[in-house]
Amino acid sequence: AYAGGALFSRAFTWFCEEDAREEVEMLRRCAGRGPTLAPSLEDIYQKLPRVEGSLLCFGCTGYIGEALVFEAVRRGLSTAVFLRPSAKAKFEELLRELGILGRVRLIVGDVSNCGDLERAFKDFEPRAVMCLIGSMVMDHQLQYDIDYRSVRDLVWTAHASSSCKQFIYTSATECYQPLLPTQMHKLRIEGELMRSLPTGLQWTIIRPTVYLPPLVSFKNMAKVIKGQTLSVTGPGDLALWNPIAREDLARFCVSCVLNPDAYSRVLPVGGPWSAGNLITGLDIARKLSALVTKSPSVRTNSLQAVDRLYGVSQFIPAAKFRKLGRILFFYLKYWYCVSLLAPPTGTISASDYAAELLEQAHKNPERFQLLAEDRSVRHFPLPRSPWWDVQRPSLHEDEMPMCAPRAKNPPSSKELDASLFGLPLRRHEQQQRSS
């Protein structure tokens, strides 16, 4: 972890704020026309392909996992969920609320116990495995144990299973620019899958961008309602994201199950490439403030100030200050400096999500503030939308194809350059080419 910190510091030696801002503005002009997809992937990203078979889910008891399990059941997959004994009662109640309790098999065990993993594969005999295992901790040893060692054992168990034909691993888009320990662990798992042992197991790696709840935070909205000023790490305009809703990600993941078009592929995915979903950290802070008050107040600072705060925090004896400094310097600095973009899917944008949060804040302001002050609550429990009706499809005919590029207003030759990605070159690259 400490060597990773040195790597992180050196990587930012070459970071240029001016180039980053140019890239953000360049990408904004692409709103409405996302990256070009291979024809074989259009059904997965833009439609609702037919799926069948059995699916064993790991790490699927959380916010994203409940949507994935629900979508798998609705699409007709025989579904089982591997979970800890302590999570069984709560997850059973959730499945009962969703109306699918009798259609999901629960297998209790410890993901770090190879015997429990082998028993689950032997008892259920899945045709495909979905892995959403990921740590939500700051302890580096736990990150290694969860993100790498447990998932590695799961990959090996899937290879040894005679029934399993596909392993789907949910990684992260930031693995394209890895600097943090969790990203290194995810890359090692991807390598384990790509080694392609001669067992007949196919692999699919899904790299989602950013999830909506931590990005469009209801806790920040609660601060604005109370009249507080929102703070952004760094200038806030150095990185652009197209975040994805859990409903859209669940639909995408299930569309990959036993789908030959998804075999042996790394599939980055994000939300719509619309003006309301191509956003920076500063955009989010301003939009949240503007939704609540006519005089929005957002505080930014320089990256140099972030570095100085980190240096000061590491000399303070109290462990909580050192931990806070690491979060500020490593994690927040990374998120606010690295653009996380991917080919689009889905129908839900960040603007839609923010509007839903504001509606709930107006309906019950006391509950909204109470939950915002509760540190154990990571996201606001929004009412279930019609998407959560198990009797209806997750996508209607009139919503397809999702996020298809607009046929009208194609980019002119002046807007596009002959560069690799069909995007305007940055100023220093133009100077190098002309020289």
Side-chain angles (χ1 to χ4, degrees), residues 8 12 15 20 23-24 173-179 183 210 238-241 330-341:
F8 188 92
F12 273 88
F15 183 78
E23 182 180 64
V24 167
T173 298
E174 61 261 27
C175 285
Y176 284 113
Q177 300 188 60
L179 286 174
Q183 297 158 1
V210 191
L238 304 177
L240 194 70
W241 314 306
F330 291 97
Y331 290 85
L332 292 182
K333 185 176 178 180
Y334 178 91
W335 285 103
Y336 279 92
C337 291
V338 177
S339 290
L340 300 176
L341 294 161

Side-chain angles (χ1 to χ4, degrees), residues 283-407:
D283 291 338
I284 295 169
R286 286 174 173 170
K287 286 181 179 180
L288 288 178
S289 298
L291 284 172
V292 177
T293 177
K294 294 182 179 179
S295 55
S297 177
V298 178
R299 182 171 60 245
T300 62
N301 49 56
S302 66
L303 292 181
Q304 292 73 22
V306 175
D307 295 347
R308 288 194 293 269
L309 287 172
Y310 169 73
V312 171
S313 69
Q314 300 310 290
F315 285 100
I316 299 176
K320 65 178 182 179
F321 285 104
R322 294 199 299 274
K323 180 180 178 180
L324 182 63
R326 290 198 300 271
I327 295 173
L328 180 70
F329 181 68
F330 291 97
Y331 290 85
L332 292 182
K333 185 176 178 180
Y334 178 91
W335 285 103
Y336 279 92
C337 291
V338 177
S339 290
L340 300 176
L341 294 161
T345 192
T347 60
I348 303 172
S349 69
S351 297
D352 299 332
Y353 184 76
E356 288 186 55
L357 286 179
L358 183 62
E359 182 181 354
Q360 296 303 312
H362 289 326
K363 280 186 177 180
N364 194 337
E366 293 81 8
R367 177 172 178 262
F368 195 85
Q369 291 291 343
L370 187 65
L371 290 175
E373 295 169 2
D374 189 342
R375 293 187 177 182
S376 65
V377 178
R378 297 181 183 273
H379 57 85
F380 187 83
L382 289 170
R384 305 279 183 190
S385 67
W387 186 89
W388 293 89
D389 181 359
V390 73
Q391 300 299 327
R392 57 153 284 181
S394 61
L395 195 67
H396 290 294
E397 289 289 339
D398 58 356
E399 294 176 304
M400 294 187 279
M402 298 177 290
C403 305
R406 293 195 303 249

